[in-house]
Amino acid sequence: MESLFDRHSGLLQDALKANETRGFWSPFPEVPSGKIYGETARADAGADFNALLGRPFVLPGHPESRRIGAEVSPWGPELGIGYPAADSAALLAASASAAAEWAASAPETRVGICLEILTRLNRASFLLGNAVMHTTGQAFPMAFQAGGPHAQDRGLEAVAVAYAEMTRAPREALWEKPQGKAAPIVLEKHWRVVPRGIALVIGCNTFPTWNSYPGLFASLATGNTVIVKPHPAAVLPLALTVRAAREVLAEAGFDPNVLLLAADEAGAEVTAGLVRAPEVAIIDFTGSNAFGDWIRANAGEALVFTEEAGVNSIVVAATGDFAGMCANIAFSLSLYSGQMCTAPQDIFVPADGIETDEGRKSLDEVAAGIAAAVDALLADPARAVAVCGAIANPATLDRVAAARHLGRIVRDSAPLPEGRSATPLILAVDAAETSAHEEERFGPISFIVAVRDAEAGIAVAAELARRKGAITAALYDTDEGRIARAADEFARAGANLSVNLTGGIYVNQSAAFSDYHVTGANPAGNASLTDAAFIAGRFRLAMWRRPKAA
């Protein structure tokens, strides 16, 4: 009988090669096309999604003491789905009961199961797209891509790195030490992968699958049982993920409680109990610095991986394509209404202007050019909704309103025809007069920040990344020497740098198998998706040895 590892060996080998070469590769098509996923895939997924609404979500055999669920789509309707919920003690006990058999299984067995889960999730990408759209506020095309194929890419990337790390050492070896004229000492040695224990994945509201899959699949592949704690406003995408995975686990003969859903709600949270539990050995968290600090203070001996808040910057020093630069920045500011960990917030511009292909532009002209590009991008209401999506958390609208007094309004925010929405608010400030731009203002809020000159802009942006954290940085410049110096500055600050983006790639985007997402080298996060350091600590190698029989 063909094993799941054998069935997906080609996929694994391609992923291993992609991780080594870092070029473009994806096995999961990002285009929501019926020609790829089936002519009825969109309609079938829509019907399946509607069938979930207003009903209990079924997870056979899952611990359950009550039903919870209060998700409301940023596009309007309440989902009305009730999820099985249990207290932390019950979840931990169920996870522990499934641990021994899962840990004892071969790496190939676990990797094969993970690959099967990912391929099934890919077939469900339209359903996942609907779930992500109606929990995060992303427009459907983005929800399909980020919640489906792109998240699956990141999960596969983690599985491939896990397999490479687990198989880096041989399973067994013959150790022979010469003893001069005496017979050599000969030992047979055997090594096995030993997982750390129970892993906890704490999901976020805005990218529930994309941010959760790397840790989830890294821990599963390396033999740890996993408890997934979704954000209360975005349970469905991870509930669908857990359901698909539990089906594969059961079919493979394992206790499906290898993977559990820790659904909770305001006033009845389970996160604190899970974080503090000594049985939890690994924690993956995406969210605020404040809660990240709390986790680190309360997680005991657990290994903690975080992605947290930061202030991403663009430095505009000069450009050979002013229109292309403005259009690119405009899209980056508008995409999903700035609700991305990679979205830029601060745009540093020399106070006396910049050189461009259209002649010298003053700071005000640069600001006006970016604002006009946003207006042009969002002029068509349907396209504006597709680009900006909806606002995931109502508190973001309050943040936009409160930000209006922080600087001179270059472009005001306004609602769109659909959903809970807000277009980009752009403010002008002077770095010498305010620090308002130095705090993360999550959502469609950005600052045009006047600085002394281009060198000062680079220095200020890099220092801000070091102090407050940054996942991305961008530079527009025509001076190769200054570009090289900026690359050094941002590398030391632990921020990934993009230079002179004017086409169809944006600073917000991070590609699996090529881009390391977050460096782990500044306060925006202590881990990088998905380098070896993100994977290898999730297991240990234990040896047994004995003299070789004659």
Side-chain angles (χ1 to χ4, degrees):
M1 180 178 177
E2 181 189 39
S3 72
L4 292 175
F5 183 82
D6 292 335
R7 179 185 303 175
H8 298 296
S9 61
L11 176 62
L12 176 62
Q13 291 304 315
D14 288 344
L16 290 167
K17 182 179 179 181
N19 277 339
E20 291 177 357
T21 59
R22 312 309 293 182
F24 172 77
W25 179 75
S26 172
F28 302 129
E30 66 177 6
V31 180
S33 168
K35 294 180 180 179
I36 298 170
Y37 287 93
E39 294 297 337
T40 65
R42 183 186 292 269
D44 292 345
D48 290 344
F49 175 75
N50 289 331
L52 293 169
L53 302 180
R55 293 183 172 87
F57 191 91
V58 179
L59 284 176
H62 195 281
E64 179 180 345
S65 61
R66 64 193 183 282
R67 287 270 159 175
I68 64 97
E71 293 161 300
V72 178
S73 171
W75 300 99
E78 293 185 8
L79 302 193
I81 302 172
Y83 300 96
D87 61 25
S88 58
L91 292 167
L92 292 165
S95 191
S97 71
E101 185 181 17
W102 185 244
S105 62
E108 288 78 9
T109 299
R110 297 192 300 265
V111 166
I113 287 171
C114 288
L115 295 173
E116 175 66 16
I117 294 168
L118 285 162
T119 57
R120 292 195 192 184
L121 289 172
N122 180 246
R123 292 198 293 269
S125 290
F126 274 96
L127 178 57
L128 286 165
N130 279 286
V132 170
M133 175 182 177
H134 285 289
T135 53
T136 71
Q138 294 172 30
F140 182 79
M142 183 177 183
F144 177 91
Q145 291 183 347
H150 291 177
Q152 295 146 17
D153 280 345
R154 281 297 185 191
L156 176 58
E157 182 181 38
V159 171
V161 176
Y163 180 75
E165 293 302 314
M166 288 189 293
T167 57
R168 190 173 302 281
R171 304 285 173 84
E172 58 185 48
L174 192 65
W175 187 84
E176 185 170 339
K177 182 178 181 180
Q179 297 294 298
K181 294 182 179 180
I185 299 172
V186 182
L187 298 177
E188 60 176 69
K189 298 185 178 185
H190 305 262
W191 291 270
R192 68 180 65 181
V193 169
V194 180
R196 291 181 69 98
I198 297 174
L200 173 63
V201 177
I202 303 173
C204 65
N205 187 179
T206 47
F207 289 89
T209 57
W210 198 97
N211 277 99
S212 297
Y213 280 12
L216 191 164
F217 282 99
S219 288
L220 276 184
T222 52
N224 305 278
T225 55
V226 179
I227 299 173
V228 176
K229 163 59 185 77
H231 189 284
V235 180
L236 183 57
L238 289 173
L240 291 168
T241 300
V242 169
R243 185 177 71 180
R246 286 171 64 87
E247 289 171 356
V248 176
L249 286 162
E251 290 169 14
F254 289 93
D255 184 342
N257 289 337
V258 164
L259 184 60
L260 294 164
L261 183 74
D264 66 0
E265 58 191 346
E269 295 88 353
V270 299
T271 313
L274 293 170
V275 168
R276 290 190 175 112
E279 303 97 314
V280 171
I282 305 167
I283 299 173
D284 289 277
F285 166 71
T286 301
S288 71
N289 298 99
F291 198 63
D293 289 341
W294 185 91
I295 289 173
R296 282 184 285 272
N298 289 272
E301 298 299 317
L303 184 64
V304 177
F305 298 99
T306 70
E307 179 188 318
E308 301 171 60
V311 181
N312 303 317
S313 299
I314 298 174
V315 179
V316 177
T319 180
D321 182 359
F322 183 73
M325 178 191 77
C326 290
N328 193 278
I329 293 174
F331 189 86
S332 294
L333 297 180
S334 302
L335 183 61
Y336 188 31
S337 299
Q339 299 170 104
M340 303 177 70
C341 59
T342 52
Q345 175 178 293
D346 294 348
I347 304 170
F348 292 97
V349 183
D352 63 351
I354 63 168
E355 293 297 334
T356 81
D357 59 314
E358 299 179 10
R360 190 160 187 85
K361 297 281 187 180
S362 69
L363 183 149
D364 286 345
E365 288 173 321
V366 173
I370 293 170
V374 173
D375 289 340
L377 174 67
L378 306 183
D380 177 70
R383 182 168 67 175
V385 169
V387 172
C388 294
I391 299 296
N393 189 330
T396 300
L397 296 180
D398 298 335
R399 194 177 301 115
V400 172
R404 285 191 171 95
H405 76 278
L406 297 176
R408 177 174 59 84
I409 295 177
V410 174
R411 183 191 186 279
D412 204 356
S413 177
L416 293 169
E418 296 180 40
R420 182 171 58 220
S421 57
T423 63
L425 170 68
I426 304 176
L427 303 165
V429 298
D430 191 319
E433 298 175 358
T434 182
S435 61
H437 59 285
E438 295 186 358
E439 299 298 326
E440 186 194 42
R441 314 277 177 178
F442 188 75
I445 303 165
S446 58
F447 298 86
I448 308 291
V449 186
V451 289
R452 185 182 66 254
D453 54 29
E455 296 285 358
I458 292 167
V460 169
E463 175 59 22
L464 186 58
R466 276 189 288 271
R467 275 192 298 117
K468 296 299 181 87
I471 294 174
T472 62
L475 172 68
Y476 289 89
D477 206 346
T478 55
D479 184 321
E480 289 298 326
R482 196 161 54 206
I483 291 171
R485 292 193 296 277
D488 291 341
E489 283 282 343
F490 284 107
R492 286 192 290 268
N496 293 317
L497 179 66
S498 299
V499 179
N500 291 335
L501 299 183
T502 57
I505 190 73
Y506 305 93
V507 68
N508 319 53
Q509 297 169 317
S510 178
F513 306 106
S514 187
D515 298 328
Y516 292 104
H517 177 70
V518 192
T519 64
N522 67 48
N526 70 359
S528 179
L529 308 183
T530 53
D531 63 6
F534 182 72
I535 306 293
R538 296 170 193 262
F539 69 91
R540 294 290 185 259
L541 291 174
M543 178 188 71
W544 70 274
R545 63 184 182 176
R546 65 183 175 188
K548 176 69 175 175

